């Protein structure tokens, strides 16, 4: 323990003492060394806030040691990142007697403590994109399986993700595609139409979007300046026919669910599939009464071949990882990679993060934090421990609890993180950080921040300015505004007590400086 | 561990000890109770039924019952379970979950406007998002709105003088309805527990918190955050006092649902009369693609949704009457679209078009308005949907002109003839 504390302190000293790597290119002039170092730290923090859930000491050190490009490459190959230390701090997997919320707690602590930050960010991104709620699915085991699908496919191919989610048990239940019967007839022998719910959302939200888009994400307009639709009502009905026949597996006993249960994948039933030919977005899926299960792959291929798909998905990824208001050029550059790589998500994320716009002043520290980014980032910045219950409670009341998006339109729409930023919402965020810095274990809030340890290790008792700058360094990884700094110094006064250190940390997380991602 | 979690979830802010403070606020609250509101301050409460309510199973057209059964072999509601509508027993009947509303109708306190919807040449008709946007903005931009859309009630609020509380308060999660060019609604989960109350070193931390947000902030996200925290600082105490000071009218009990809790907060805000003129509440789950009549807890699913809504509305109306506020308040109940005439193969219904809309309260001239769409095969439109007989903007024009007393033309950007449901 002492050993680790000493190591951390040493790391910090080294980072403060000077650049730990030569880096490429010309060495900065001596008088701008400080500024160059500050800029490096700013961009390292930026990278960690966007491809993960914000800086902690270890990852900050890693980015500065490896350089941003090499760090990104490592994160793009999560299997190469040794995560044994992180895993020890994940909330344990539930046993058969536990409640299924344990899976949610495990995910929240993964976001907080995993070193595979990009993989976790992408898993959350896909959960937000393919929004599915326990509220209707009714099985934590199935939500866990879907979460695993998102983690495994986080940086894979988008086409494969479309096929996998279309046949995922939880999604089949959530959007009613399970038991969607393509061979149902009424008493007069007329065919009863299939359920359109999943087909519509697959086109509207998941794969294509409402409007036809140019490669740069702008609307394709008709002669009268009206946007052209990306698909028609007929396409919805035809996709619904193509996706008939899939049957989800439910846990055996939904009322007394064993959250550790292993659930079989969904099955395809030829008898419930509409075998006739379909015309989807102008492409014919030929009649086939023996291999109907392949229709879902054909639908995914047709979606992937639409010119709108590359800018539609690319823009959503940019909006979640970089900027909610990207330039057309940015969208076009990323969409080009999406199109030429045929949906290779690793290449797409590399293009987003490697783009010059990613580190432009209009993007760095200019975005809204989601509640998860706000609160998980707080625990990471403070170097706190535990926090599973705290995160569960506070993400729940701020409308960002995993497994519980309010509808298929998710917690917020792409480009509208601001919808999560309400007066009630910010009050709750500030209540949440209050509970984290205060340590309210007796009331069920289990995040633990070792404020006394920080006071001791850095000998802060008589050094309020050092305390404020240290907090800013850890929590912001960016320069602190003079106004906020002064409020914190005035609040602390001449002596940094335990209560004053905690109060200053809370105030910093309530300040305008901390709200920008 | 699971128990702890449940406890803090149930306890909420109260578990933190944040909801109870200050004698000062309590004194203010006590003073509030004595206040009486002038009857001219009219208020609209909008109840948004998210997901697309099945209008055909909400107000059943009895004169078209055989055709209705034919379209809905499994989902048609049995005649003997339907609730007759006083004075219209041969024509229409209500979903069995709407019993309290059938009573309000009989008392002349509810208007049903049939066939309401967005014009059928608009874009995005079957899309939740675009259709919600149409109903909230009172426009038909569909899926391609201008960059900064505003709500039709928000544009009304723009015209009001500033008051102690914002003119619009949203509990629905869809604040667009109350967002104007300048009017910005306050979005709340509840008026109870809204505020910032640091657990330790309270006075010093609270003062520093206020100072943090008193000065300027960088434009953009930081400035927005600062403005929101200024609202928290300015309104937290006032709203808590209103919540603590509000006594529900004698004999009235709100059911233990989110919708009822939000309506109770609406009643408290209306009673306080601090300038709140438009409120929005929401009730979700109406996207009944499958298992629409699946029984859980003895009630079929869609009926259960209406039961929750009807019981909450019933308590809200009785509470308003008890406080002498009913003459000021109009409750408008709408959804983004109705559902397909024909049921699907999953015992559900897919996205549709026209549906009935409800207007409830003392300002209402109760009765039936608008033509019920013709269900016969040749009269359904856009591949099997109920045609629109009343342009939704006519309903909004009615509310603006006859209840809120403003000219609807500039607000709706066109002349839409008002209906008679507000006298």
């Amino acid at each position: 323990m002492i050993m680790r504390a000493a190591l951390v302190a040493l790391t910090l000293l080294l980072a403060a003492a000077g650049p730990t790597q030569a880096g490429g290119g010309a060495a900065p002039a001596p008088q701008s060394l400080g500024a160059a170092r500050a800029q490096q730290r700013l961009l390292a923090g930026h990278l960690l806030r966007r491809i993960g859930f914000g800086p902690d000491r270890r990852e900050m050190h890693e980015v500065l040691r490896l350089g941003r490009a090499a760090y990104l490459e490592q994160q793009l190959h999560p299997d190469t990142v040794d995560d044994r230390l992180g895993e020890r701090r994940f909330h344990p997997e539930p046993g058969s007697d536990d409640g299924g919320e344990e899976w949610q707690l495990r995910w929240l602590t993964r976001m907080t403590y995993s070193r595979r930050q990009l993989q976790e960010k992408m898993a959350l991104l896909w959960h937000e994109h393919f929004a599915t709620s326990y509220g209707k699915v009714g099985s934590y085991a199935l939500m866990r399986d879907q979460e695993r699908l998102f983690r495994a496919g986080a940086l894979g191919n988008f086409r494969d993700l479309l096929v996998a989610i279309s046949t995922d048990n939880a999604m089949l239940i959530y959007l009613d595609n399970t038991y969607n019967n393509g061979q149902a007839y009424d008493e007069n022998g007329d065919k009863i139409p299939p359920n359109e719910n999943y087909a519509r959302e697959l086109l509207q939200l998941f794969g294509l979007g409402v409007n036809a888009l140019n490669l740069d994400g702008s609307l394709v307009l008709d002669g009268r300046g009206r946007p052209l639709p990306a698909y028609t009502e007929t396409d919805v009905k035809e996709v619904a026919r193509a996706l008939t026949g899939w049957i989800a597996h439910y846990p055996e006993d939904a009322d007394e669910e064993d959250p550790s249960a292993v659930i079989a994948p969904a099955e395809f039933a030829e008898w419930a599939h509409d075998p006739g030919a379909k015309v989807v977005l102008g492409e014919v899926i030929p009649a086939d009464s023996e291999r109907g299960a392949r229709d879902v792959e054909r639908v995914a291929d047709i979606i992937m071949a639409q010119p709108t798909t590359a800018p539609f998905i690319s823009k959503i990824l940019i909006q979640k990882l970089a900027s909610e208001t990207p330039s057309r050029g940015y969208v076009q550059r990323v969409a080009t990679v999406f199109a030429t790589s045929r949906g290779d998500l690793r290449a797409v994320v590399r293009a987003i993060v490697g783009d010059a716009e990613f580190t432009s002043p209009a993007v760095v520290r200019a975005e809204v934090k989601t509640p998860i980014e706000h609160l998980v980032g707080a625990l990471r910045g403070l170097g706190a421990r535990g926090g599973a219950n705290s995160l569960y409670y506070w993400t729940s009341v701020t409308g960002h609890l995993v497994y519980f998006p309010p509808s298929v339109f998710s917690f917020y729409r792409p480009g509208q993180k601001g919808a999560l930023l309400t007066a009630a919402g910010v009050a709750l965020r500030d209540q949440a950080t209050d509970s984290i810095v205060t340590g309210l274990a007796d009331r069920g809030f289990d995040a633990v921040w070792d404020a006394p340890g920080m006071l001791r290790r850095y000998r802060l008792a008589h050094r309020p300015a050092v305390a404020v700058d240290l907090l800013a360094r850890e929590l912001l990884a960016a320069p602190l505004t003079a106004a906020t700094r002064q409020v914190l110094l005035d609040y602390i006064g001449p002596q940094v007590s335990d209560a004053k250190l905690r109060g200053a940390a809370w105030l910093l997380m309530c300040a305008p400086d901390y709200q920008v991602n | 561990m699971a128990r702890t979690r449940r406890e803090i979830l149930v306890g909420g802010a109260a578990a933190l000890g944040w909801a109870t403070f200050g004698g000062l606020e309590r004194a203010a609250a006590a003073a509030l109770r004595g206040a009486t509101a002038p009857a001219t301050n009219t208020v609209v409460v909008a109840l948004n039924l998210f997901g697309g309510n099945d209008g055909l199973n909400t107000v059943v057209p009895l004169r078209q019952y055989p055709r209705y059964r034919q379209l809905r072999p499994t989902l048609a509601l049995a005649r003997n379970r339907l609730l007759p509508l006083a004075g219209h027993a041969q024509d229409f009947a209500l979903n069995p979950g709407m019993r309290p509303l059938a009573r309000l109708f009989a008392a002349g306190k509810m208007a049903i406007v049939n066939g309401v919807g967005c014009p059928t040449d608009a874009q995005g008709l079957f899309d939740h998002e675009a259709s919600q946007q149409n109903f909230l903005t009172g426009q038909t931009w569909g899926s391609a709105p201008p960059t900064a859309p505003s709500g039709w009630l928000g544009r009304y609020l723009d015209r009001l003088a500033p008051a102690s509380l914002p003119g619009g308060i949203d509990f629905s999660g869809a604040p667009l309805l109350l967002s104007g060019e300048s009017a910005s609604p306050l979005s709340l989960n509840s008026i109870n527990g809204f505020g910032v109350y640091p657990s330790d070193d309270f006075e010093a931390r609270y003062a520093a918190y206020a100072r943090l947000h008193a000065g300027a902030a960088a434009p953009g996200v930081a400035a927005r955050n600062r403005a929101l925290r200024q609202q928290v600082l300015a309104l937290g105490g006032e709203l808590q006092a209103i919540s603590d000071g509000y006594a529900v009218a004698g004999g009235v009990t709100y059911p233990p649902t989110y919708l009822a809790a939000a309506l109770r907060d609406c009643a408290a805000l209306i009673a306080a009369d601090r300038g709140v003129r438009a409120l929005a509440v929401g009730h979700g789950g109406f996207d009944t693609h499958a298992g629409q009549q699946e029984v859980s807890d003895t009630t079929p699913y869609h009926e259960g949704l209406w039961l929750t809504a009807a019981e909450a509305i019933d308590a809200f109306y009785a509470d308003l009457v008890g406080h002498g506020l009913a003459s000021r308040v109009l409750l408008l109940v709408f959804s983004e679209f109705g559902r397909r005439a024909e049921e699907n193969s999953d015992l559900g219904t897919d996205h549709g078009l026209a549906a009935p809309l409800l207007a409830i309260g003392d300002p209402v001239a109760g009765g039936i308005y608008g033509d019920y769409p013709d269900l016969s095969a040749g009269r359904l439109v856009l591949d099997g949907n109920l045609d629109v007989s009343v342009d939704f903007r006519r309903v909004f024009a009615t509310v603006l002109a006859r209840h809120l007393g403003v000219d609807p033309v500039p607000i709706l950007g066109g002349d839409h003839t008002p209906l008679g449901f507000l006298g």
Side-chain angles (χ1 to χ4, degrees):
Chain A
M1 200 60 199
I2 293 166
M3 193 62 184
R4 180 146 74 213
L7 266 177
V8 169
L10 183 64
T11 303
L12 210 79
L13 277 173
L14 281 175
T20 54
Q21 54 160 351
Q31 63 268 33
S32 66
L33 254 179
R37 205 157 56 226
Q39 181 68 5
Q40 269 199 4
R41 284 191 65 85
L42 180 72
L43 293 181
H46 173 61
L47 182 69
L48 290 169
R49 278 189 296 271
R50 299 309 174 77
I51 70 166
F53 296 92
D56 68 1
R57 282 181 195 173
R58 178 196 301 277
E59 297 310 304
M60 195 68 181
H61 178 70
E62 280 294 283
V63 178
L64 293 171
R65 187 176 70 84
L66 294 170
R68 297 198 306 278
Y71 181 81
L72 173 67
E73 262 335 288
Q74 200 181 63
Q75 288 288 316
L76 283 167
H77 297 87
D79 292 347
T80 67
V81 178
D82 183 347
D83 205 17
R84 281 173 297 184
L85 276 177
E87 278 173 28
R88 270 188 235 157
R89 299 172 71 180
F90 297 172
H91 188 80
E93 291 189 0
S96 54
D97 294 334
D98 288 316
E101 324 90 270
E102 310 297 325
W103 287 116
Q104 290 164 287
L105 303 190
R106 186 165 170 85
W107 193 356
L108 290 165
T109 52
R110 259 180 191 278
M111 294 176 200
T112 314
Y113 300 118
S114 174
R115 297 204 54 214
R116 296 170 182 171
Q117 283 280 294
L118 175 59
Q119 187 179 37
E120 291 307 314
K121 189 84 176 228
M122 294 300 291
L124 176 63
L125 187 157
W126 294 124
H127 175 45
E128 291 181 349
H129 184 72
F130 296 107
T132 303
S133 172
Y134 171 85
K136 178 159 172 184
V137 174
S139 160
Y140 285 105
L142 292 188
M143 295 304 294
R144 167 210 63 198
D145 287 350
Q146 192 188 69
E147 176 196 335
R148 287 177 176 167
L149 186 168
F150 293 144
R151 190 170 290 111
L155 294 159
N157 184 284
F158 186 69
R159 183 257 189 205
D160 297 343
L161 202 51
L162 280 180
V163 172
I165 195 68
S166 298
T167 55
D168 169 69
N169 283 319
M171 181 59 88
L172 284 167
I173 296 167
Y174 185 59
L175 291 182
D176 306 315
N177 215 43
T178 184
Y179 289 106
N180 196 7
N181 191 344
Q183 298 198 39
Y185 296 88
D186 67 17
E187 45 208 26
N188 302 323
D190 295 329
K191 196 161 221 168
I192 302 177
N195 186 321
E196 296 168 10
N197 199 9
Y198 182 73
R200 179 180 304 280
E201 307 309 7
L202 176 64
L203 294 178
Q204 182 188 331
L205 299 176
F206 301 159
L208 194 55
V210 171
N211 294 308
L213 303 177
N214 296 307
L215 194 61
D216 66 4
S218 60
L219 297 170
V220 178
L221 302 176
D222 68 9
R224 290 190 297 153
R226 284 171 53 124
L228 286 176
Y231 57 89
T232 65
E233 284 300 307
T234 308
D235 291 320
V236 172
K237 293 179 166 70
E238 293 289 282
V239 170
R241 291 179 56 220
L243 299 184
T244 49
W246 289 93
I247 299 176
H249 269 281
Y250 294 75
E252 281 182 15
D253 186 346
D255 289 333
E256 291 291 332
E257 193 196 1
D258 170 2
S260 65
V262 176
I263 314 291
E267 272 177 45
F268 180 75
E270 206 76 63
W271 58 262
H273 180 71
D274 181 339
K278 298 103 189 166
V279 182
V280 174
L281 297 159
E283 295 288 320
V284 177
I285 299 175
D288 190 334
S289 56
E290 287 169 14
R291 287 169 301 169
R294 290 186 55 192
D295 276 11
V296 62
E297 297 183 35
R298 294 196 176 97
V299 168
D301 289 336
I302 292 169
I303 289 173
M304 290 301 286
Q306 294 295 305
T308 291
T309 298
F312 176 68
I313 298 300
S314 298
K315 187 169 178 183
I316 289 173
L317 290 171
I318 295 171
Q319 287 179 315
K320 291 194 182 260
L321 295 173
S323 166
E324 295 210 292
T325 51
S327 72
R328 286 184 180 190
Y330 196 2
V331 176
Q332 176 150 354
R333 292 189 291 277
V334 175
T336 303
V337 172
F338 186 101
T340 53
S341 70
R342 293 167 185 263
D344 177 349
L345 296 166
R346 186 174 282 125
V348 169
V349 172
R350 190 183 286 124
I352 291 171
V353 178
D355 197 278
E357 194 161 324
F358 182 79
T359 48
S360 66
V363 171
V364 176
R365 283 175 53 75
E367 295 289 311
V368 169
K369 278 183 182 176
T370 64
I372 284 179
E373 285 168 341
H374 193 108
L375 302 172
V376 170
L379 291 179
R380 289 176 59 78
L382 288 168
R385 301 198 158 248
N389 285 333
S390 300
L391 289 171
Y392 179 91
Y393 176 75
W394 292 112
T395 58
S396 165
V397 294
T398 50
H400 206 191
L401 178 64
V402 290
Y403 293 6
F404 277 91
S407 78
V408 73
F409 292 89
S410 201
F411 306 99
Y412 62 93
R413 301 288 291 122
Q416 295 176 21
K417 285 178 190 170
L420 294 168
L421 204 60
T422 63
V426 300
L428 289 166
R429 290 182 193 207
D430 295 346
Q431 293 177 5
T433 48
D434 171 87
S435 81
I436 292 170
V437 300
T438 312
L440 298 170
D442 56 327
R443 299 183 202 166
F445 296 107
D446 57 351
V448 178
W449 174 42
D450 184 15
M454 188 171 178
L455 263 174
R456 211 172 43 242
R457 275 200 303 280
Y458 298 98
R459 295 191 295 281
L460 298 175
H462 307 289
R463 301 195 297 164
V466 175
V468 168
D469 293 337
L470 185 61
L471 286 171
R473 180 190 183 85
E474 307 280 299
L475 284 163
L476 296 183
L480 181 63
T481 56
T484 298
R485 190 166 187 273
Q486 195 57 51
V487 173
L488 298 189
L489 288 172
D490 292 350
Y491 163 74
I492 293 175
Q495 296 290 321
V496 188
S497 65
D498 178 81
K500 290 296 179 189
L501 185 64
R502 292 176 192 273
W506 177 67
L507 288 165
L508 179 56
M509 290 189 283
C510 299
D513 310 60
Y514 183 76
Q515 312 312 317
V516 289
N517 208 36
Chain B
M1 185 166 280
R3 172 188 280 173
T4 313
R5 212 144 48 233
R6 241 166 256 131
E7 277 166 10
I8 58 177
L9 268 179
V10 170
L16 291 167
W18 277 335
T20 51
F21 61 98
L24 202 66
E25 285 84 354
R26 289 195 191 288
L32 265 179
R33 276 194 290 271
T36 51
T40 50
N41 291 352
T42 50
V43 176
V44 176
V45 180
L47 167 52
N48 192 337
L49 306 178
F50 292 106
N53 172 46
D54 183 11
L56 199 45
N57 273 21
T58 300
V59 178
V60 178
L62 297 178
R63 294 194 186 278
Q64 304 186 67
Y65 195 84
R67 173 63 176 154
Y68 164 69
R69 276 223 77 111
Q70 187 187 17
L71 288 161
R72 304 269 177 102
T74 54
L75 296 185
L77 298 166
R79 264 194 117 113
N80 60 3
R81 296 194 59 241
L82 291 169
L83 308 175
L85 270 181
H88 300 269
Q90 302 305 308
D91 302 321
F92 302 104
L94 293 184
N95 183 295
M98 301 170 78
R99 192 169 296 281
L101 299 185
R103 280 199 302 272
L104 283 173
F105 186 90
K109 304 299 183 190
M110 179 166 106
I112 296 170
V113 189
N114 284 319
V116 178
C118 189
T120 51
D121 60 351
Q123 288 198 313
L125 285 178
F126 300 99
D127 161 359
H128 290 290
E129 195 171 35
S131 299
Q132 271 286 338
Q133 185 151 294
N134 288 339
F135 268 83
L136 301 181
T137 60
Q139 309 281 8
T140 59
W141 294 305
S143 53
T147 46
S150 61
W152 64 274
L153 281 173
R155 295 194 293 277
Y156 155 72
L157 295 170
D158 281 342
R159 287 158 168 76
L160 302 183
S164 139
L165 289 177
I169 294 190
D170 177 65
F171 296 97
S172 76
L176 174 59
L177 177 67
L178 310 177
S179 307
E181 312 282 334
S182 58
S184 175
L186 182 63
S187 290
L188 296 175
N189 306 325
S190 163
I191 57 174
N192 179 32
F194 168 72
V196 167
Y197 314 106
S199 301
D200 191 17
D201 196 14
F202 179 93
E203 283 179 21
R205 286 184 194 174
Y206 193 87
Y209 183 95
R211 251 187 89 198
L212 275 179
H213 303 105
V221 174
R224 250 189 83 203
N225 267 284
R226 177 178 141 275
L228 290 169
R229 284 173 174 79
Q230 283 177 335
Q231 267 193 323
V232 173
L233 286 160
L235 303 178
E238 186 172 0
L239 291 174
Q240 191 66 53
I242 289 172
S243 181
D244 291 347
Y246 187 67
V248 173
V252 176
T253 306
Y254 282 93
T257 61
Y258 284 112
L259 175 60
L263 285 172
R264 178 259 176 211
D265 281 359
C266 290
L269 288 165
I270 295 165
D273 199 26
R274 309 275 183 91
V276 179
R277 305 291 290 277
L279 296 130
V281 296
H283 183 34
F286 285 86
D287 197 16
T288 49
H289 286 278
Q292 188 171 326
Q293 290 296 94
E294 203 167 282
V295 176
S296 69
D297 295 335
T298 74
T299 310
Y301 179 77
H302 183 247
E303 285 180 40
L305 292 175
W306 269 110
L307 189 63
T308 301
E311 288 178 342
I313 292 169
D314 195 35
F316 177 60
Y317 177 73
D319 195 15
L320 293 177
V321 170
H323 280 93
L325 299 166
S327 64
R328 289 172 52 198
V329 183
L330 170 69
L331 176 68
L332 206 59
V333 187
F334 66 94
S335 190
E336 66 260 38
F337 44 60
R339 305 196 77 82
R340 199 76 45 85
E342 191 183 4
E343 68 185 39
N344 66 27
S345 67
D346 243 354
L347 305 182
T349 49
D350 291 311
H351 300 181
L353 283 176
L357 177 150
L358 309 180
I360 296 170
D362 281 2
V364 168
I368 307 271
Y369 299 84
D371 293 330
Y372 206 100
D374 190 335
L375 299 180
S376 52
R379 304 303 293 275
L380 295 174
V381 297
L382 301 182
D383 212 1
N385 285 288
L386 278 65
D387 200 1
V388 174
S389 60
V390 176
D391 185 316
F392 67 136
R393 291 167 296 190
R394 292 186 65 194
V395 176
F396 305 158
T398 313
V399 173
L400 291 164
R402 306 267 164 86
H403 184 63
L404 299 174
V406 291
D407 181 1
V409 175
I411 290 177
L412 296 175
D415 199 356
H416 301 280
T417 315
L419 301 154
F421 67 85
L422 288 169

